[in-house]
DNA sequence: CAATATCCTACCTTTTTAATAGTATTAATT
DNA sequence: AATTAATACTATTAAAAAGGTAGGATATTG
């Protein structure tokens, strides 16, 4: 249902969220930790930067950091930046059936958008924390 | 956001909803009215029949009819039958970030499913009725 | 200035979506 | 029973989107 870009983007942000205040992490480093393609992750990072989700510091010793805490980032922003499907308009022209179906599906898409806007990445962080706890028990 | 199959399927059902009780309409007839590919619409009709959304009468003089009124059909059923994306499971294995992201996105997908289950095709019919009214004014 | 990291453009491969064609099957009508 | 009108099935193809690669340009720190 969600493209890989969204999955990878969330893992990227999750990794950044573990960073100390004021520090940065490079894409190559993150890609290695997460076992993801460097080049593919680069493109995702650029998109997130353009959407003001992350800050960048270019050049040697640079990398990315979160522009705001996870609880202030909604899933809607992420999906909008990394999955172009959401904003392309549904045709509401043509025959009466076409118009009716177009308006109907548009209203559902709007409801879906509202749903995504209510979900923040704080929930993601909670899942992440849980996973790490359960690993702790093994040790 | 929704594939053509869903758009066409809804137009197909909308056309059937105008039918008198006990009568049937062939795919070729519907495809001509709606200016859709006969063969493509055939495949959609078969899927809807397998999902018990429509009844079929094969052979000469046959065709399709609604198996139940529009208000008893949810958008969830239609999307599930005509868009395979919704039921394929999201991976919740691998690294801790992968698991966390998997669980997070699965929960959102479930919320989306609940949203679709609350939407019935009665709303679609209302939009359709509106469109037809506004045409009436022109005449 | 050298090293390091992002940024940009173009390309390639695989998968999915959309559509088409031909044939087999079913059943009503004559 | 033959004819005809309809759905059902299988295979193929074309176009679009998703996923991934490659190389070099650009910026910035040390």
């Amino acid at each position: 249902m969600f493209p890989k870009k969204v999955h990878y983007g969330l893992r990227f942000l999750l990794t950044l969220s573990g960073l100390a205040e004021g520090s940065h992490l490079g894409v190559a480093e993150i890609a290695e930790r997460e076992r993801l393609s460097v080049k593919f992750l680069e493109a995702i990072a650029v998109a997130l930067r353009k959407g003001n989700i992350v800050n960048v510091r270019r050049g040697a010793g640079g990398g990315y950091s979160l522009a705001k805490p996870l609880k202030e980032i909604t899933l809607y922003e992420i999906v909008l930046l990394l999955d172009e499907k959401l904003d392309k308009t549904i045709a509401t022209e043509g025959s009466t059936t076409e118009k009716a179906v177009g308006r109907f599906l548009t209203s559902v898409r709007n409801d879906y958008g509202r749903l995504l806007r209510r979900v923040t990445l704080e929930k993601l962080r909670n899942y992440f924390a849980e996973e790490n706890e359960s690993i702790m028990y093994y040790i």
Side-chain angles (χ1 to χ4, degrees), chain A:
Chain A
M1 162 150 190
F2 296 101
K4 290 248 159 77
K5 275 190 183 178
V6 170
H7 284 253
Y8 297 173
L10 291 174
R11 288 167 67 185
F12 180 79
L13 294 175
L14 214 39
T15 304
L16 288 182
S17 77
L19 229 56
E21 190 70 23
S23 58
H24 295 257
L25 205 54
V27 168
E29 170 76 24
I30 298 173
E32 195 183 353
R33 286 195 201 177
E34 293 291 321
R35 300 277 164 87
L36 297 176
S37 152
V38 178
K39 285 296 189 176
F40 198 50
L41 198 54
E42 257 182 23
I44 291 169
V46 169
L48 291 174
R49 197 254 314 157
K50 285 180 177 166
N52 298 310
I53 306 293
V54 294
N55 291 323
V56 69
R57 214 161 91 178
R58 296 186 66 170
Y64 292 92
S65 63
L66 287 182
K68 47 189 172 184
L70 288 185
K71 73 165 185 289
E72 289 173 24
I73 306 172
T74 71
L75 184 56
Y76 181 77
E77 302 174 68
I78 306 301
V79 170
L80 209 61
L81 289 170
L82 301 179
D83 182 7
E84 8 292 346
K85 279 195 297 272
L86 206 63
D87 56 349
K88 78 171 165 193
T89 57
I90 296 170
T92 48
E93 286 308 306
S95 66
T96 52
T97 55
E98 250 176 294
K99 282 186 205 157
V101 168
R103 289 176 61 195
F104 175 64
L105 292 179
T106 299
S107 89
V108 173
R109 201 217 20 206
N110 291 341
D111 287 345
Y112 177 56
R114 276 184 280 275
L115 165 61
L116 293 183
R117 260 186 274 260
R118 281 197 303 268
V119 179
T120 75
L121 301 200
E122 188 176 24
K123 189 173 184 180
L124 171 61
R125 212 200 33 181
N126 292 339
Y127 280 122
F128 185 53
E130 266 184 51
E131 293 296 340
N132 286 331
E133 276 169 32
S134 56
I135 281 184
M136 288 311 206
Y137 288 122
Y138 282 106
I139 299 171

